[in-house]
Amino acid sequence: VSEDDIYTIAGYDFDWRRVGRRLLDDQKVKDIDNEGGSEAEKREKMLLKWRSAKSRDATYQALGKVLRAPGIDNNATADRVEKLERSRSQGNK
């Protein structure tokens, strides 16, 4: 996931704590929460930490899979992430 797209995805509506627990460890999620900020800022921090920690494994597909996972079930946001990936792969902004 590109850094530019992280800022876009952070604006989407999803439970960053639940997603973060699947992408990172619990302590990192707690640290982000304790740093404060808006929910969008916390989503952004979580996604940036995930991208930094997982590097090549921080893909649109991996994020989409977590968003669709039981207990999260956020298909609408997963669809938006997949649409964003398709637009990037086609060279569209």
Side-chain angles (χ1 to χ4, degrees), residues 54-66:
K54 301 297 182 180
S55 189
R56 290 185 177 186
D57 292 332
T59 64
Y60 298 91
Q61 297 90 356
L63 180 56
K65 184 176 180 179
V66 168

Side-chain angles (χ1 to χ4, degrees), residues 11-89:
Y12 296 168
D13 183 30
F14 63 93
D15 184 336
W16 73 269
R17 289 172 190 85
R18 285 183 178 209
V19 172
R21 286 186 189 103
R22 304 269 178 123
L23 299 175
L24 302 166
D25 61 65
D26 281 342
Q27 188 57 52
K28 285 188 174 112
V29 172
K30 288 176 186 175
D31 291 345
I32 292 166
D33 212 8
N34 290 334
E35 289 173 13
S38 69
E39 291 297 296
E41 289 169 330
K42 290 177 183 181
R43 284 191 295 267
E44 180 182 303
K45 287 177 188 178
M46 182 273 296
L47 291 167
L48 288 169
K49 284 184 186 286
W50 168 63
R51 184 173 178 258
S52 176
K54 301 297 182 180
S55 189
R56 290 185 177 186
D57 292 332
T59 64
Y60 298 91
Q61 297 90 356
L63 180 56
K65 184 176 180 179
V66 168
L67 288 164
R68 292 185 192 284
I72 297 175
D73 301 305
N74 194 327
N75 293 328
T77 300
D79 290 345
R80 292 179 78 183
V81 168
E82 291 167 2
K83 183 178 179 183
L84 185 60
E85 178 192 20
R86 283 192 302 275
S87 73
R88 295 296 183 235
S89 67

